[in-house]
Amino acid sequence: MEVILIFTLALLLAWPLGHYMTGVFSAGPHWSDKVFMPLENGIFKLLGVTPTQGMNWKSYGIAFLISNLVLGIIAYLILLFQHVLPLNPNGIEGLSWDLALHTAVSFLTNTNQQHYSGQAQLTYLSQGFLIVTLQFVTPAMALAVCVAILRGILGGRNADDAAEGEERDLGNYYQDTVRAVLRLMLPLAAVVAVALSSQGVPASYSASPTVPVLEQGQSLSEQSLSEQTIPLGPVSAMVAIKQLGTNGGGWFGPNSSNPQENPTPVSNAIQTIALVLVPMAVVFMAGGMVRRRGFTLLSLSVMAFLSLLFIALAVYSEQQPNAAFTGLAQQAGNMEGKEVRFGTDVSALWATFTTQTSNGSVNAMHDSLNPLAGLVTRSGMLINGIWGGIGCGFVNFLVYVWLAVFIAGLMIGRTPEFFGRKLEKREISWLGVLLVLPSAVILTFTAITVAFPSLTGNSNPGLHGIAQVFYEYTSAFANNGSGFEGLGDNTPWWNLTCVVVLILGRYLPLVIPLLIAGSLAKKRRVPTTAGTLPLFNPTFAVTLVTVILVVNFLSFLPSMVLGPIGEALELSQQSAVVAGQ
């Protein structure tokens, strides 16, 4: 019941939010102008940009890449030299060069993959200023690119005046990004932060207090343990944007399984809704921006169907007993790696939502999931278009739509068209690149790492060990950031290879669709006829679902057999042997 309630509330809240976002990014005046326009104009003057100056897809893409490069250099230097910078009352040292590089790129790409423990290795400046700033800005950047692509679908803002083949105005990157931060992310984060603080999530810049322990015990050094340091910080502010921005990087190493970061069932429900709220709202925004209600219904029905299917499988999986306890205890749900205050169902819901989006935060350890739920989390990241990250998730979904339009056109013998513009050789060639990119990157790095055990550093042998490595690279490519953990991943090999995967998984899947949208925008719009492929009906929705599943199934079936499927068969056989004794 709680699972259904959280899913329903998220959808109901996403609908008006999506309508608001449509107004924010549309060309006409909006009521939010009165509130935010003066501050925005000040920011534009400081940056030295003209927000009304339109950009074609090349200018937009270059601005996106350059802004990321500048932010990445600043982030790297702060993490490298955080020990000599202010707001370091706990005397934390700077990160090693490879860990600083991985951390900077990870947060720059909206992935938040952490090869460190936040409360122990980052200062208040690094956490509260740098990381939180990136968590606001990077999802806004991807949302800006998504908005530009949606404008390109309709021929750009100058569609009525431009000639065929002429470059089209897809908006201004800086204006779209600043609006996404000021008018969307900041107000939402303020509300969620206050709600989380009311549940006991800390919000302090004081040094970590040292308190006496309730029970005297033995420390690892065999000395009497009489006191403990309790890490604090502006946790509620970071957790709020962590969830809303599909970021996932928490203040504490254990993320939202930590009782200070997620203390109550109410805070858990707030965070679960927050992690999927904006990605759901983008679906409503997209339909509004292209002025097609049917497009919203198509996108929503396909995503909701796949989302609910995966949620059902994950919840069912975690309600089953852990095979390791066969014959040892009363059979119950799989509580290994979970918090008792949450239980199996909402933990499985979170695991599914966090991998359907590019959030990656956790309230339970994914390494302890039963094989079926582990397969569900991997599948959500590989598809990377069920809700997805803010902006980038819907862009990935659009890629599947274009592929489905092309395949359906071949099946009925018609030239594929999308919103009256033909998908031709150039567009299909670039779609082919996006189609093979995930398997080429993920499988190549997984194979190399598994081939050299000294590099792997995983805690499990056999099929589960392979799944740990595959999951780490999948999480990096999908800009997700969650992990099966158990990996000794703070090494130069893991840090540097993940940097490569992070960059390939972030920028090519955003820039290539922007290129395709710019190419489509310049084409003459073909009038709708009786021979036009209908997109907004159940037949195309089924085709789209089939394309999404088949493409990923064919690409990654061998890795599934060598991972969760093979592990499930092994555990089933072991359980049968134990039960028969």
Side-chain angles (χ1 to χ4, degrees):
M1 184 64 186
E2 190 173 357
V3 171
I4 297 173
L5 179 61
I6 289 174
F7 189 95
T8 304
L9 282 174
L11 270 179
L12 290 176
L13 291 171
W15 176 55
L17 179 60
H19 181 73
Y20 166 77
M21 291 166 64
T22 300
V24 166
F25 294 107
S26 296
H30 190 252
W31 63 264
S32 61
D33 294 344
K34 297 179 180 179
V35 180
F36 297 102
M37 190 68 80
L39 180 57
E40 289 176 358
N41 289 335
I43 293 174
F44 296 140
K45 186 175 294 186
L46 183 65
L47 294 175
V49 300
T50 305
T52 55
Q53 182 179 354
M55 297 178 174
N56 60 26
W57 78 266
K58 290 181 182 178
S59 301
Y60 207 101
I62 290 172
F64 168 63
L65 294 175
I66 290 177
S67 63
N68 275 256
L69 178 62
V70 171
L71 278 177
I73 293 172
I74 294 172
Y76 176 70
L77 292 175
I78 289 176
L79 293 168
L80 199 62
F81 298 108
Q82 64 176 357
H83 58 293
V84 297
L85 296 173
L87 291 178
N88 186 15
N90 298 319
I92 295 174
E93 292 297 316
L95 301 183
S96 64
W97 73 270
D98 56 298
L99 181 57
L101 179 63
H102 174 268
T103 304
V105 173
S106 178
F107 282 88
L108 183 68
T109 56
N110 194 214
T111 307
N112 295 202
Q113 187 179 55
Q114 294 170 281
H115 290 175
Y116 65 90
S117 189
Q119 77 276 17
Q121 291 176 270
L122 293 189
T123 66
Y124 285 171
L125 178 71
S126 296
Q127 288 261 59
F129 172 73
L130 172 64
I131 298 300
V132 172
T133 298
L134 290 176
Q135 288 181 327
F136 276 99
V137 175
T138 58
M141 290 172 166
L143 181 57
V145 174
C146 177
V147 167
I149 291 172
L150 291 172
R151 293 182 184 129
I153 288 174
L154 294 183
R157 297 195 299 187
N158 59 338
D160 295 335
D161 303 322
E164 182 179 354
E166 185 179 341
E167 291 291 345
R168 301 304 174 93
D169 175 7
L170 302 187
N172 185 282
Y173 166 75
Y174 301 103
Q175 183 184 58
D176 292 337
T177 301
V178 169
R179 284 190 172 188
V181 172
L182 292 184
R183 303 194 189 197
L184 178 66
M185 308 311 301
L186 277 171
L188 285 176
V191 173
V192 173
V194 171
L196 292 176
S197 294
S198 72
Q199 295 299 305
V201 179
S204 171
Y205 276 101
S206 302
S208 301
T210 300
V211 298
V213 299
L214 295 178
E215 296 183 12
Q216 301 298 310
Q218 295 294 320
S219 69
L220 295 176
S221 60
E222 299 301 324
Q223 297 176 350
S224 178
L225 181 65
S226 60
E227 58 184 22
Q228 180 182 5
T229 300
I230 307 296
L232 293 180
V235 182
S236 62
M238 183 176 183
V239 173
I241 190 58
K242 169 193 96 172
Q243 297 301 93
L244 286 166
T246 61
N247 291 292
W251 189 276
F252 299 100
N255 212 271
S256 287
S257 65
N258 187 297
Q260 286 183 272
E261 196 163 307
N262 189 10
T264 70
V266 174
S267 70
N268 187 74
I270 293 171
Q271 292 186 40
T272 307
I273 292 172
L275 76 84
V276 79
L277 175 62
V278 181
M280 284 183 172
V282 171
V283 177
F284 293 98
M285 179 201 76
M289 288 198 66
V290 299
R291 300 187 290 276
R292 301 286 198 287
R293 184 171 176 267
F295 190 49
T296 293
L297 294 177
L298 170 72
S299 307
L300 189 63
S301 61
V302 170
M303 290 190 189
F305 170 77
L306 292 172
S307 180
L308 290 171
L309 173 63
F310 283 9
I311 289 170
L313 291 173
V315 170
Y316 168 78
S317 172
E318 295 312 291
Q319 288 177 346
Q320 307 310 305
N322 189 311
F325 295 102
T326 301
L328 299 179
Q330 182 177 355
Q331 299 297 293
N334 177 24
M335 282 298 296
E336 180 191 338
K338 296 181 179 63
E339 292 295 306
V340 175
R341 66 187 187 276
F342 301 144
T344 59
D345 291 2
V346 294
S347 297
L349 173 66
W350 185 304
T352 311
F353 267 166
T354 201
T355 47
Q356 288 177 354
T357 65
S358 66
N359 189 285
S361 64
V362 296
N363 71 347
M365 295 301 103
H366 290 191
D367 190 46
S368 297
L369 296 173
N370 281 330
L372 177 58
L375 179 61
V376 165
T377 57
R378 285 178 20 150
S379 300
M381 291 188 293
L382 291 171
I383 292 173
N384 205 15
I386 308 174
W387 313 126
I390 294 179
C392 58
F394 197 81
V395 172
N396 291 330
F397 179 77
L398 269 177
V399 170
Y400 288 117
V401 174
W402 286 332
L403 285 171
V405 168
F406 173 67
I407 292 171
L410 292 179
M411 292 171 63
I412 63 174
R414 299 187 184 280
T415 302
E417 299 171 6
F418 185 70
F419 282 36
R421 290 175 170 83
K422 293 183 178 181
L423 288 165
E424 296 175 306
K425 180 181 177 181
R426 185 178 188 224
E427 294 79 32
I428 299 304
S429 297
W430 283 112
L431 287 176
V433 173
L434 292 175
L435 187 63
V436 302
L437 184 65
S439 55
V441 173
I442 295 169
L443 295 177
T444 298
F445 279 100
T446 299
I448 295 172
T449 304
V450 171
F452 297 94
S454 60
L455 299 175
T456 308
N458 57 337
S459 59
N460 290 86
L463 299 177
H464 192 80
I466 296 174
Q468 285 181 312
V469 176
F470 183 90
Y471 192 105
E472 186 77 359
Y473 285 124
T474 302
S475 175
F477 187 87
N479 300 149
N480 186 270
S482 65
F484 255 22
E485 299 312 327
L487 288 172
D489 49 21
N490 184 16
T491 65
W493 171 260
W494 275 112
N495 287 334
L496 297 179
T497 56
C498 282
V499 163
V500 175
V501 177
L502 288 164
I503 291 172
L504 292 174
R506 173 67 166 184
Y507 297 108
L508 290 181
L510 282 174
V511 174
I512 291 177
L514 183 63
L515 180 159
I516 294 173
S519 177
L520 290 175
K522 294 188 293 184
K523 295 186 178 184
R524 179 174 59 88
R525 192 175 186 280
V526 179
T528 301
T529 66
T532 301
L533 176 69
L535 301 182
F536 311 133
N537 59 24
T539 301
F540 185 76
V542 172
T543 303
L544 180 54
V545 170
T546 304
V547 167
I548 292 172
L549 295 178
V550 169
V551 163
N552 288 280
F553 182 80
L554 293 178
S555 298
F556 296 102
L557 177 60
S559 68
M560 295 176 187
V561 173
L562 291 175
I565 294 177
E567 185 183 0
L569 294 174
E570 276 189 342
L571 292 175
S572 177
Q573 184 180 25
Q574 293 172 8
S575 299
V577 170
V578 172
Q581 292 177 347

